[in-house]
Amino acid sequence: MKRELNHHYIGESYGGNQDWFRTFWMRIGGCGAETACESSLYFARELGFTKLYPFDSDVVKREEYVDFAHMMEDYLWPRFTGINKLSIYINGYVKYLRDAGEYRVDVSEFSGDHTYEEAAEKVKEQINAGLPIPFLTLRHKDARYSDYVWHWYLVNGYDDTEDGFKIKAVTYSGYKWLDFEGLWNTGCKPTGGMIIYTVNEDAVL
C-alpha cells in the first residue's frame, strides 16, 4: 500500500531548499527552520490554517519562502550543535504556532529509542491521518544515509510492500524513497526521532 501527501512546488522545486537562505548559518544549519516552514505551508494549503504562512500559499514564490524561513529563524535558529533534540524543535515551533494565533495544532515527540515496528506503525498512522512528519536523524552507521545525518527533513509518504517498508523523505528541493528499517536502526546514540503533529479542530481560536 502506498500513501503520499500533497506537497507544494516553488517553480520546479519540490518544496524549499536551505541553500537559498541568505546567511551562512542558515544555509548550513537551517534545516530545522525549513522543516517547520514546510509543515506550515502544508497546514495552510491542505488544512486551511492560513495564519501559518504570511504570503500566498497557493502560489509559493521563492523570495517569499526565503523571507518566511528567516522569520522562522527567530524560533528555530541554527545553534553550534544544531537543533539536535526533538524538544528544541517542539518548543520553537509551538511558540511560532501560538504567536501566529494557531491553537489547533499540537506537537509532541516520538523518540528514536522506539522499536522499528513501533515507528513504522506511527508513520502509517500519521500519514493516513493526513499529517506530515518532521524527522531528525543524528548519527548513522550506514553510509547510505549519510545525506540525512545531523539533519531535519520532512516525511510525507510511505510505501508498504512485500519488499519492505519505505518512507518518502523530502529535503533540498526533492525527495527520495528510503528503506525505513535501515534508516530507523541507526546503530548509534543519540538516535533522533520523529515529531508528531495532532490536529484538534475543536480548539479555541
Side-chain angles (χ1 to χ4, degrees):
M1 180 179 182
K2 190 174 188 178
R3 293 290 301 272
E4 297 177 71
L5 304 181
N6 292 331
H7 200 72
H8 63 278
Y9 280 83
I10 306 173
E12 298 298 318
S13 172
Y14 189 82
N17 192 321
Q18 72 189 76
D19 285 342
W20 299 344
F21 298 163
R22 297 188 183 108
T23 64
F24 171 78
W25 283 108
M26 277 291 280
R27 287 192 294 273
I28 67 168
C31 54
E34 185 191 356
T35 303
C37 290
E38 300 287 281
S39 299
S40 298
L41 261 166
Y42 181 85
F43 290 134
R45 289 166 61 90
E46 302 299 327
L47 301 184
F49 297 176
T50 54
K51 294 178 181 178
L52 295 183
Y53 187 66
F55 305 104
D56 183 357
S57 63
D58 292 327
V59 181
V60 185
K61 298 178 181 179
R62 174 168 165 169
E63 183 175 349
E64 292 174 345
Y65 181 90
V66 172
D67 285 343
F68 181 47
H70 285 280
M71 295 175 194
M72 193 64 74
E73 182 182 5
D74 290 341
Y75 299 89
L76 291 163
W77 63 91
R79 295 153 170 83
F80 182 72
T81 56
I83 299 175
N84 61 344
K85 295 180 180 179
L86 300 175
S87 60
I88 298 175
Y89 182 97
I90 291 171
N91 291 338
Y93 193 50
V94 167
K95 188 173 190 309
Y96 171 74
L97 291 169
R98 304 306 179 245
D99 284 353
E102 184 54 72
Y103 292 86
R104 290 170 290 185
V105 179
D106 288 321
V107 190
S108 60
E109 69 175 61
F110 187 92
S111 166
D113 293 329
H114 284 84
T115 66
Y116 157 70
E117 290 78 13
E118 292 169 333
E121 285 304 311
K122 181 58 71 172
V123 168
K124 292 178 188 178
E125 177 185 308
Q126 291 300 105
I127 299 299
N128 289 346
L131 296 169
I133 308 167
F135 204 104
L136 172 64
T137 300
L138 293 172
R139 299 178 177 89
H140 207 294
K141 64 181 180 180
D142 190 333
R144 290 180 299 166
Y145 303 102
S146 60
D147 289 343
Y148 301 89
V149 166
W150 219 264
H151 191 50
W152 284 92
Y153 47 98
L154 198 72
V155 171
N156 69 354
Y158 70 82
D159 191 7
D160 192 8
T161 71
E162 293 180 356
D163 297 326
F165 186 71
K166 294 184 178 181
I167 55 101
K168 186 179 179 182
V170 181
T171 188
Y172 286 108
S173 296
Y175 63 86
K176 289 184 179 178
W177 288 96
L178 303 177
D179 173 65
F180 188 60
E181 185 170 10
L183 177 69
W184 188 259
N185 292 325
T186 65
C188 301
K189 297 288 184 178
T191 55
M194 297 185 283
I195 295 295
I196 302 303
Y197 293 136
T198 306
V199 173
N200 178 11
E201 293 282 3
D202 296 326
V204 177
L205 298 180

